[in-house]
Amino acid sequence: MTDHIQTGLADGVLTVTLARPEKKNAITQAMYAALSDATERARADDAVRVLLFRSEGDSFSAGNDIADFIALGSQGQQPLDMSVFRFLKSLADLDKPAVAAVRGRAVGIGLTLLLHCDMVVVAEDALLSAPFINLALAPEAASSMLLPAAIGHRRAFEMFALGEPIDGRTALAWGLANRAVPADAVEATAADLARKLAARAPNSIRKTKRLMRDAEALWTLMQREGEAFGSQMSSPEAMEAFMAFTQKRAPDFSKSG
């Protein structure tokens, strides 16, 4: 277990904390492995009734650690072989309630993770974005289906295509969150919801969640997305996007096509 992922179990709630605030909780493959361990534990352990995702610092997550991702891509490793896909599989399989407490930025996987949570509390001034196309990549975590299902095709396409953030109030209005509260109330509000869920009939909740989600279909789509993501990751477009990101400039896609 990496120090950047911390867990604690109390009153039936397994709290999983992204604890890399100095890097805005950008997620490395080691962190994905630890997140997978925690999510798999939540599903298998009868003592766990609810999984609560939270973060340290001023951002929920800046998404994938780009340097870590570029390094793995340069070694020829494909997304489906990375720890991130073990985590995605664990999310698809999870049949217990998941709650998220979101402050600051939720970027990429920081946003798409929320689509697998059953209750989401966001700060009113949080900023959620899905800038996959900005990095010349493709959606992941079954978000190509789940995001349009949550907010509609046109809003989802705009979030994917332009990569521009929406704030917490908008996330609530669009159906991406259950509560939008002041930043200093996010943690307490999410913890309260988690405790309420933990007090409900556990088998009834699990069966309800299974009926509301098709885990097999989610995993099938995740794998299709992974193939698209992998082919883009090694493309000239992505190389230009990654280079522009590291050089802090706008990418030039004028020669793509």
Side-chain angles (χ1 to χ4, degrees):
M1 182 75 71
T2 173
D3 291 339
H4 293 143
I5 299 296
Q6 299 170 359
T7 62
L9 177 61
D11 301 321
V13 178
L14 180 64
T15 300
V16 178
T17 301
L18 303 175
R20 198 186 180 207
E22 72 281 3
K23 294 293 185 180
K24 306 293 184 184
N25 294 312
I27 305 176
T28 64
Q29 293 305 301
M31 292 169 69
Y32 279 123
L35 286 167
S36 303
D37 290 341
T39 309
E40 290 164 2
R41 174 190 172 188
R43 185 170 187 262
D45 187 348
D46 288 341
V48 178
R49 293 193 170 192
V50 180
L51 184 60
L52 171 61
F53 291 103
R54 62 173 299 278
S55 63
E56 295 289 349
D58 61 7
S59 285
F60 182 67
S61 176
N64 281 313
D65 184 293
I66 295 296
D68 186 65
F69 219 64
I70 291 174
L72 289 171
S74 67
Q75 296 165 15
Q77 190 168 358
Q78 294 301 303
L80 287 168
D81 299 324
M82 296 180 185
S83 294
V84 58
F85 267 84
R86 180 183 158 211
F87 178 50
L88 297 184
K89 180 69 162 61
S90 72
L91 288 175
D93 289 341
L94 183 64
D95 58 357
K96 293 181 183 177
V99 179
V102 180
R103 293 174 291 104
R105 289 190 172 271
V107 180
I109 187 69
L111 167 60
T112 58
L113 166 60
L114 306 182
L115 301 173
H116 295 273
C117 293
D118 305 286
M119 302 196 82
V120 175
V121 179
V122 295
E124 292 168 333
D125 61 355
L127 293 173
L128 288 63
S129 60
F132 302 112
I133 290 175
N134 287 1
L135 291 171
L137 297 172
E140 35 81 324
S143 61
S144 59
M145 176 182 72
L146 294 176
L147 190 61
I151 68 175
H153 173 88
R154 289 168 185 81
R155 286 171 172 167
F157 186 82
E158 180 174 348
M159 288 193 75
F160 285 139
L162 300 185
E164 296 171 349
I166 61 170
D167 65 22
R169 294 181 185 88
T170 303
L172 175 65
W174 285 6
L176 284 174
N178 299 80
R179 308 277 192 278
V181 299
D184 60 4
V186 167
E187 299 278 344
T189 304
D192 182 60
L193 289 173
R195 284 191 295 268
K196 287 180 178 178
L197 290 172
R200 297 308 195 263
N203 291 326
S204 176
I205 280 192
R206 293 184 83 169
K207 287 176 181 176
T208 298
K209 181 162 179 172
R210 287 177 193 147
L211 289 168
M212 293 177 70
R213 289 164 56 87
D214 186 337
E216 184 177 349
L218 288 173
W219 177 235
T220 297
L221 178 57
M222 287 173 175
Q223 292 175 88
R224 284 177 50 208
E225 289 174 340
E227 292 169 0
F229 196 105
S231 66
Q232 274 301 113
M233 195 167 72
S234 58
S235 70
E237 285 182 342
M239 293 302 101
E240 165 60 17
F242 291 151
M243 186 68 70
F245 180 87
T246 58
Q247 295 174 353
K248 301 185 186 306
R249 62 173 174 80
D252 178 7
F253 298 127
S254 61
K255 296 181 178 144
S256 297

